[in-house]
Amino acid sequence: MQKRSYYGLLSTISLSAFGDAFGLLAMEWLVYELTGSKLAMGALALSSMIPEQVLRLLGSPLSDRLPRVRLMAYLAALRLLALLLPLGMGLAGQLQLWHLFAAASLSGACSALFMPTAMAVIPGVAGTGKLMRAFAIIDGCKGAAALLGPALAGVLTAASGALPALGINAVCYTAAIFTLLYLPKMDKPAAPAGSFSLPLYLREMVEGFSFYRQFPAMLTIMMMAAVSNLSSIAVWTMMVPYVREVLHRDAAAVGSLSTASALGYLSGLGVISLMGEIRRRRIVMLGTLGLSGIVTMLWGFIPSYPFALCAVFAAGSLGPFFGSLSSSLHGRLVPGHLQGRVNSVRFLIGGSLSPLGALAGGAVAELYGVPVLMLAAGILPAMFAGIALCIPSLKALDGDLSVLEQRTRQSREISVTGNLPV
């Protein structure tokens, strides 16, 4: 049953990622066709990110209070309904800009809890000794979906327009919902149901941050993730105008660049699997983050489609080192009863600067051009990774983690018994 639950969860995540590749390109393309404005494209990303960040904070205890798999099914159903609004209006020939913004806002709100809840389920169905492999397989399947999805979405959009791509996204969400509904009965709430009270709920929200008070090195890592995501969002939000105005190509080129990035990501995962257990986590995580920034800077200097393919491949191959190591660290160090809340806070911190990236990306590209935006977006992660390498506390993440895991167990004993460990 445990294996069936894991692979069912893996299928759900992969289907969602594959569908999102179609939906994201389709909505960005529709906004650009309706307005021709880079600021409008940045505003579309912003309309998704702000509800996502707000609900990620306010709703963080829900992943531990409610049955997790059932919650994921409800969230997927709401995302499907959100998508049907622009799809239906587009098919009727009545599509307006606000339909796309409304769909992006509701979808973003649902995304706030979907992935943190999925991440909270994984340690329970994979086992502690297999966490690194479990997260790597999930990252690999997401990467494979992102590899195939953008290429097909770009070709489909170039040939038939953006609405059929939205239809593929809807089909994928529907399949993901059915996959969740047929998972084994494993979705009991991680936290005791009890009677609801506002003080208790607020206390559970605060508990999601307690992990980062106990492990400040992990807070620093997530702040690095926030800087990386700011830069990445700023660049990829402007990918459509970059392809059309700098490279002078069509939607198929947008899909090709996304596919090259995903192919690089899969290559990076392959390298990780060959390396086995990585003990010098600090150097690997921050080093690859800094290198990805340097690649982005070079990308901005050279307005060439072949070089852009090489750049996104190289940046993609560096991404898994930071992401997979961060996920495995959270899986090993976060107590089971706090997984949902801490993962929500983790994604909250990691995405905290993403709205700024979407807004600033559109503004910088509008004023100075996309190449200047890429140069600035590369400088940030490279500079902050260099600074973080000089922070002594991050050395605790290297080597054997048994001491840190013992601190986690002691924290669990204190929270349950109210006594200090002997």
Side-chain angles (χ1 to χ4, degrees):
M1 180 180 291
Q2 192 176 51
K3 183 179 290 188
R4 180 184 164 193
S5 299
Y6 173 74
Y7 285 110
L9 191 65
L10 180 64
S11 300
T12 299
I13 293 172
S14 300
L15 283 166
S16 299
F18 183 76
D20 285 340
F22 281 82
L24 179 62
L25 177 59
M27 288 209 285
E28 288 180 342
W29 198 263
L30 287 168
V31 168
Y32 194 75
E33 284 189 336
L34 287 172
T35 66
S37 168
K38 301 180 186 69
L39 287 176
M41 296 186 67
L44 177 72
L46 199 64
S47 69
S48 173
M49 292 173 191
I50 291 178
E52 185 174 354
Q53 295 297 87
V54 171
L55 189 60
R56 190 160 280 162
L57 173 64
L58 299 181
S60 59
L62 297 178
S63 295
D64 294 324
R65 291 183 65 90
L66 301 176
R68 286 170 174 163
V69 173
R70 208 175 306 166
L71 174 61
M72 290 174 64
Y74 292 147
L75 292 171
L78 284 174
R79 294 181 76 183
L80 174 60
L81 291 175
L83 191 67
L84 292 177
L85 172 63
L87 179 59
M89 297 305 292
L91 291 173
Q94 302 294 323
L95 181 65
Q96 298 180 30
L97 192 61
W98 75 266
H99 298 144
L100 295 165
F101 276 74
S105 298
L106 183 54
S107 181
C110 295
S111 299
L113 298 181
F114 187 86
M115 278 306 297
T117 304
M119 295 296 103
V121 174
I122 291 170
V125 299
T128 304
K130 299 179 180 178
L131 273 182
M132 183 66 186
R133 184 170 181 269
F135 281 114
I137 290 174
I138 285 177
D139 284 341
C141 289
K142 286 170 60 181
L147 170 66
L148 185 60
L152 295 177
V155 171
L156 182 62
T157 302
S160 306
L163 291 180
L166 280 180
I168 297 293
N169 195 3
V171 171
C172 289
Y173 280 166
T174 303
I177 294 168
F178 279 102
T179 302
L180 286 168
L181 293 177
Y182 282 97
L183 284 180
K185 299 294 183 182
M186 61 172 183
D187 55 344
K188 294 182 180 179
S195 58
F196 175 83
S197 68
L198 183 59
L200 175 62
Y201 189 85
L202 293 175
R203 189 181 73 185
E204 290 178 355
M205 282 177 54
V206 173
E207 284 178 346
F209 292 89
S210 64
F211 170 77
Y212 295 101
R213 288 202 304 269
Q214 186 182 5
F215 298 102
M218 293 300 296
L219 176 60
T220 302
I221 288 298
M222 292 316 302
M223 290 170 65
M224 293 298 102
V227 172
S228 175
N229 288 332
L230 180 151
S231 298
S232 179
I233 289 294
V235 170
W236 283 97
T237 300
M238 293 296 107
M239 195 53 56
V240 171
Y242 170 73
V243 166
R244 295 187 66 167
E245 297 176 10
V246 178
L247 301 182
H248 305 293
R249 291 176 177 261
D250 60 13
V254 180
S256 298
L257 289 171
S258 299
T259 297
S261 176
L263 184 59
Y265 196 86
L266 289 176
S267 301
L269 286 171
V271 173
I272 291 175
S273 65
L274 293 175
M275 293 175 66
E277 178 68 18
I278 298 174
R279 299 179 66 84
R280 300 189 67 182
R281 302 175 186 89
R282 176 181 66 100
I283 299 296
V284 172
M285 294 174 76
L286 296 177
T288 53
L289 182 63
L291 283 174
S292 68
I294 293 172
V295 169
T296 303
M297 283 190 282
L298 293 174
W299 184 10
F301 274 120
I302 305 174
S304 162
Y305 178 60
F307 184 83
L309 288 172
C310 295
V312 295
F313 178 87
S317 67
L318 296 168
F321 292 89
F322 192 98
S324 293
L325 284 170
S326 175
S327 294
S328 64
L329 284 169
H330 280 84
R332 291 182 65 176
L333 299 179
V334 177
H337 72 293
L338 292 178
Q339 279 282 341
R341 275 162 280 180
V342 173
N343 274 300
S344 292
V345 173
R346 171 192 168 195
F347 284 98
L348 175 68
I349 297 172
S352 59
L353 299 179
S354 294
L356 176 61
L359 186 63
V364 172
E366 190 78 48
L367 292 173
Y368 305 106
V370 180
V372 173
L373 166 65
M374 290 179 173
L375 179 63
I379 290 174
L380 282 176
M383 179 178 66
F384 278 91
I387 294 172
L389 280 171
C390 301
I391 300 176
S393 63
L394 293 185
K395 294 180 180 179
L397 302 179
D398 290 335
D400 187 8
L401 295 176
S402 58
V403 175
L404 294 180
E405 289 177 311
Q406 178 64 27
R407 285 172 57 187
T408 297
R409 287 192 292 270
Q410 291 176 349
S411 174
R412 170 63 170 160
E413 292 172 8
I414 294 171
S415 67
V416 171
T417 65
N419 300 318
L420 291 172
V422 179

Short mmCIF file of all heavy atoms in Angstrom, two decimals, residues 24-45 47 95-101 104 162 240 244:
data_model
loop_
_atom_site.label_atom_id
_atom_site.label_comp_id
_atom_site.label_asym_id
_atom_site.label_seq_id
_atom_site.Cartn_x
_atom_site.Cartn_y
_atom_site.Cartn_z
N LEU A 24 0.31 27.56 -18.53
CA LEU A 24 1.13 28.76 -18.32
C LEU A 24 1.47 29.44 -19.64
O LEU A 24 1.29 30.65 -19.79
CB LEU A 24 2.42 28.37 -17.58
CG LEU A 24 3.40 29.51 -17.31
CD1 LEU A 24 2.76 30.57 -16.42
CD2 LEU A 24 4.69 28.97 -16.67
N LEU A 25 1.95 28.66 -20.60
CA LEU A 25 2.28 29.24 -21.90
C LEU A 25 1.04 29.82 -22.57
O LEU A 25 1.08 30.92 -23.15
CB LEU A 25 2.92 28.17 -22.80
CG LEU A 25 3.26 28.62 -24.23
CD1 LEU A 25 4.23 29.79 -24.22
CD2 LEU A 25 3.84 27.46 -25.03
N ALA A 26 -0.08 29.12 -22.46
CA ALA A 26 -1.30 29.58 -23.11
C ALA A 26 -1.77 30.91 -22.54
O ALA A 26 -2.11 31.84 -23.29
CB ALA A 26 -2.40 28.52 -22.96
N MET A 27 -1.80 31.04 -21.21
CA MET A 27 -2.29 32.28 -20.60
C MET A 27 -1.35 33.45 -20.87
O MET A 27 -1.79 34.57 -21.13
CB MET A 27 -2.53 32.07 -19.11
CG MET A 27 -3.76 31.21 -18.83
SD MET A 27 -4.58 31.57 -17.25
CE MET A 27 -3.44 30.82 -16.13
N GLU A 28 -0.03 33.19 -20.81
CA GLU A 28 0.91 34.27 -21.12
C GLU A 28 0.75 34.72 -22.58
O GLU A 28 0.80 35.91 -22.87
CB GLU A 28 2.34 33.78 -20.87
CG GLU A 28 2.68 33.63 -19.39
CD GLU A 28 4.10 33.14 -19.19
OE1 GLU A 28 4.70 32.61 -20.15
OE2 GLU A 28 4.61 33.27 -18.06
N TRP A 29 0.57 33.76 -23.46
CA TRP A 29 0.43 34.09 -24.89
C TRP A 29 -0.85 34.90 -25.13
O TRP A 29 -0.86 35.85 -25.90
CB TRP A 29 0.42 32.81 -25.71
CG TRP A 29 0.71 33.03 -27.16
CD1 TRP A 29 -0.21 33.15 -28.17
CD2 TRP A 29 1.98 33.17 -27.78
NE1 TRP A 29 0.43 33.35 -29.37
CE2 TRP A 29 1.77 33.38 -29.17
CE3 TRP A 29 3.30 33.15 -27.30
CZ2 TRP A 29 2.82 33.54 -30.06
CZ3 TRP A 29 4.34 33.32 -28.19
CH2 TRP A 29 4.09 33.52 -29.56
N LEU A 30 -1.94 34.51 -24.43
CA LEU A 30 -3.21 35.22 -24.60
C LEU A 30 -3.12 36.65 -24.08
O LEU A 30 -3.65 37.57 -24.69
CB LEU A 30 -4.32 34.46 -23.87
CG LEU A 30 -4.79 33.16 -24.55
CD1 LEU A 30 -5.69 32.36 -23.61
CD2 LEU A 30 -5.54 33.47 -25.85
N VAL A 31 -2.45 36.84 -22.94
CA VAL A 31 -2.29 38.19 -22.39
C VAL A 31 -1.48 39.05 -23.35
O VAL A 31 -1.82 40.21 -23.61
CB VAL A 31 -1.61 38.14 -21.00
CG1 VAL A 31 -1.17 39.53 -20.56
CG2 VAL A 31 -2.57 37.56 -19.97
N TYR A 32 -0.42 38.49 -23.90
CA TYR A 32 0.42 39.27 -24.82
C TYR A 32 -0.34 39.61 -26.10
O TYR A 32 -0.20 40.71 -26.65
CB TYR A 32 1.69 38.49 -25.15
CG TYR A 32 2.76 39.34 -25.81
CD1 TYR A 32 3.50 40.25 -25.06
CD2 TYR A 32 3.02 39.23 -27.16
CE1 TYR A 32 4.48 41.03 -25.65
CE2 TYR A 32 4.00 40.01 -27.77
CZ TYR A 32 4.72 40.91 -27.00
OH TYR A 32 5.68 41.69 -27.59
N GLU A 33 -1.17 38.68 -26.59
CA GLU A 33 -1.96 38.95 -27.79
C GLU A 33 -3.03 40.01 -27.53
O GLU A 33 -3.32 40.83 -28.39
CB GLU A 33 -2.62 37.67 -28.29
CG GLU A 33 -1.67 36.72 -29.00
CD GLU A 33 -2.39 35.57 -29.67
OE1 GLU A 33 -3.51 35.24 -29.23
OE2 GLU A 33 -1.84 35.00 -30.63
N LEU A 34 -3.62 39.99 -26.31
CA LEU A 34 -4.68 40.95 -26.00
C LEU A 34 -4.13 42.35 -25.75
O LEU A 34 -4.80 43.34 -26.05
CB LEU A 34 -5.46 40.48 -24.76
CG LEU A 34 -6.41 39.29 -24.95
CD1 LEU A 34 -6.97 38.83 -23.61
CD2 LEU A 34 -7.55 39.66 -25.89
N THR A 35 -2.92 42.45 -25.19
CA THR A 35 -2.41 43.75 -24.75
C THR A 35 -1.11 44.17 -25.42
O THR A 35 -0.87 45.38 -25.59
CB THR A 35 -2.19 43.76 -23.22
OG1 THR A 35 -1.12 42.84 -22.90
CG2 THR A 35 -3.44 43.33 -22.49
N GLY A 36 -0.25 43.21 -25.74
CA GLY A 36 1.07 43.55 -26.25
C GLY A 36 1.96 44.22 -25.22
O GLY A 36 2.99 44.81 -25.55
N SER A 37 1.60 44.12 -23.94
CA SER A 37 2.29 44.84 -22.88
C SER A 37 3.10 43.88 -21.99
O SER A 37 2.56 42.88 -21.51
CB SER A 37 1.28 45.60 -22.01
OG SER A 37 1.87 46.08 -20.83
N LYS A 38 4.35 44.20 -21.76
CA LYS A 38 5.18 43.42 -20.83
C LYS A 38 4.70 43.62 -19.40
O LYS A 38 4.75 42.70 -18.57
CB LYS A 38 6.64 43.82 -20.97
CG LYS A 38 7.21 43.64 -22.37
CD LYS A 38 8.67 44.05 -22.41
CE LYS A 38 9.23 44.02 -23.82
NZ LYS A 38 8.65 45.06 -24.68
N LEU A 39 4.25 44.84 -19.08
CA LEU A 39 3.74 45.09 -17.73
C LEU A 39 2.50 44.25 -17.45
O LEU A 39 2.31 43.77 -16.33
CB LEU A 39 3.42 46.58 -17.56
CG LEU A 39 4.63 47.52 -17.45
CD1 LEU A 39 4.16 48.96 -17.38
CD2 LEU A 39 5.47 47.17 -16.23
N ALA A 40 1.65 44.06 -18.45
CA ALA A 40 0.46 43.22 -18.26
C ALA A 40 0.85 41.78 -17.99
O ALA A 40 0.22 41.09 -17.19
CB ALA A 40 -0.44 43.31 -19.49
N MET A 41 1.91 41.30 -18.64
CA MET A 41 2.37 39.94 -18.40
C MET A 41 2.93 39.80 -16.99
O MET A 41 2.70 38.82 -16.30
CB MET A 41 3.42 39.55 -19.43
CG MET A 41 2.88 39.50 -20.85
SD MET A 41 4.09 38.88 -22.01
CE MET A 41 4.20 37.19 -21.45
N GLY A 42 3.68 40.81 -16.55
CA GLY A 42 4.16 40.80 -15.17
C GLY A 42 3.01 40.86 -14.18
O GLY A 42 3.03 40.20 -13.13
N ALA A 43 1.97 41.63 -14.51
CA ALA A 43 0.81 41.72 -13.63
C ALA A 43 0.05 40.40 -13.56
O ALA A 43 -0.51 40.05 -12.52
CB ALA A 43 -0.13 42.83 -14.12
N LEU A 44 0.04 39.63 -14.66
CA LEU A 44 -0.60 38.31 -14.64
C LEU A 44 0.11 37.40 -13.64
O LEU A 44 -0.54 36.73 -12.83
CB LEU A 44 -0.56 37.68 -16.03
CG LEU A 44 -1.15 36.26 -16.12
CD1 LEU A 44 -2.67 36.30 -15.99
CD2 LEU A 44 -0.75 35.58 -17.42
N ALA A 45 1.43 37.37 -13.70
CA ALA A 45 2.18 36.57 -12.74
C ALA A 45 1.94 37.07 -11.31
O ALA A 45 1.80 36.28 -10.37
CB ALA A 45 3.67 36.60 -13.07
N SER A 47 -0.75 38.54 -10.17
CA SER A 47 -2.10 38.19 -9.73
C SER A 47 -2.18 36.75 -9.25
O SER A 47 -3.08 36.40 -8.48
CB SER A 47 -3.10 38.42 -10.88
OG SER A 47 -2.91 37.46 -11.91
N LEU A 95 -13.55 36.24 -24.65
CA LEU A 95 -12.44 36.31 -23.69
C LEU A 95 -12.02 37.75 -23.44
O LEU A 95 -11.81 38.52 -24.38
CB LEU A 95 -11.25 35.49 -24.20
CG LEU A 95 -10.03 35.45 -23.28
CD1 LEU A 95 -10.36 34.73 -21.99
CD2 LEU A 95 -8.86 34.79 -23.98
N GLN A 96 -11.88 38.10 -22.16
CA GLN A 96 -11.40 39.41 -21.75
C GLN A 96 -10.22 39.21 -20.80
O GLN A 96 -10.02 38.13 -20.23
CB GLN A 96 -12.50 40.21 -21.06
CG GLN A 96 -13.69 40.50 -21.96
CD GLN A 96 -14.77 41.30 -21.24
OE1 GLN A 96 -14.49 42.08 -20.34
NE2 GLN A 96 -16.02 41.10 -21.66
N LEU A 97 -9.47 40.28 -20.61
CA LEU A 97 -8.26 40.20 -19.80
C LEU A 97 -8.56 39.77 -18.37
O LEU A 97 -7.81 38.98 -17.78
CB LEU A 97 -7.55 41.56 -19.82
CG LEU A 97 -6.12 41.59 -19.26
CD1 LEU A 97 -5.20 40.67 -20.06
CD2 LEU A 97 -5.59 43.01 -19.25
N TRP A 98 -9.69 40.25 -17.82
CA TRP A 98 -9.98 39.94 -16.43
C TRP A 98 -10.27 38.45 -16.22
O TRP A 98 -10.06 37.92 -15.12
CB TRP A 98 -11.12 40.81 -15.89
CG TRP A 98 -12.50 40.43 -16.36
CD1 TRP A 98 -13.18 40.94 -17.42
CD2 TRP A 98 -13.38 39.46 -15.74
NE1 TRP A 98 -14.42 40.35 -17.52
CE2 TRP A 98 -14.57 39.45 -16.51
CE3 TRP A 98 -13.28 38.62 -14.65
CZ2 TRP A 98 -15.65 38.63 -16.19
CZ3 TRP A 98 -14.35 37.79 -14.33
CH2 TRP A 98 -15.52 37.80 -15.10
N HIS A 99 -10.73 37.76 -17.26
CA HIS A 99 -10.94 36.32 -17.13
C HIS A 99 -9.63 35.60 -16.84
O HIS A 99 -9.56 34.69 -16.00
CB HIS A 99 -11.54 35.75 -18.43
CG HIS A 99 -12.89 36.32 -18.76
ND1 HIS A 99 -13.28 36.57 -20.07
CD2 HIS A 99 -13.93 36.69 -17.97
CE1 HIS A 99 -14.51 37.06 -20.07
NE2 HIS A 99 -14.91 37.15 -18.80
N LEU A 100 -8.58 36.02 -17.52
CA LEU A 100 -7.27 35.40 -17.32
C LEU A 100 -6.71 35.75 -15.93
O LEU A 100 -6.13 34.89 -15.26
CB LEU A 100 -6.30 35.87 -18.40
CG LEU A 100 -6.65 35.43 -19.83
CD1 LEU A 100 -5.87 36.24 -20.85
CD2 LEU A 100 -6.39 33.94 -20.01
N PHE A 101 -6.93 36.99 -15.50
CA PHE A 101 -6.43 37.39 -14.19
C PHE A 101 -7.19 36.67 -13.07
O PHE A 101 -6.59 36.26 -12.07
CB PHE A 101 -6.54 38.90 -14.03
CG PHE A 101 -5.39 39.66 -14.63
CD1 PHE A 101 -5.27 39.81 -16.00
CD2 PHE A 101 -4.42 40.22 -13.83
CE1 PHE A 101 -4.20 40.49 -16.56
CE2 PHE A 101 -3.34 40.91 -14.38
CZ PHE A 101 -3.24 41.05 -15.75
N ALA A 104 -5.91 33.10 -12.96
CA ALA A 104 -4.57 33.04 -12.38
C ALA A 104 -4.61 33.23 -10.86
O ALA A 104 -3.89 32.57 -10.12
CB ALA A 104 -3.68 34.09 -13.02
N ALA A 162 -3.81 29.40 -28.53
CA ALA A 162 -3.58 29.09 -27.12
C ALA A 162 -4.72 28.30 -26.47
O ALA A 162 -4.50 27.60 -25.48
CB ALA A 162 -3.36 30.39 -26.34
N VAL A 240 8.15 35.29 -23.37
CA VAL A 240 7.41 35.51 -24.62
C VAL A 240 7.91 36.76 -25.35
O VAL A 240 8.25 36.70 -26.54
CB VAL A 240 5.89 35.56 -24.37
CG1 VAL A 240 5.15 36.01 -25.63
CG2 VAL A 240 5.38 34.20 -23.93
N ARG A 244 9.92 36.88 -29.00
CA ARG A 244 9.31 37.59 -30.13
C ARG A 244 10.11 38.83 -30.54
O ARG A 244 10.21 39.14 -31.72
CB ARG A 244 7.87 37.96 -29.79
CG ARG A 244 6.97 36.74 -29.60
CD ARG A 244 5.51 37.10 -29.43
NE ARG A 244 4.95 37.67 -30.64
CZ ARG A 244 3.64 37.85 -30.84
NH1 ARG A 244 2.76 37.47 -29.90
NH2 ARG A 244 3.19 38.38 -31.95
#
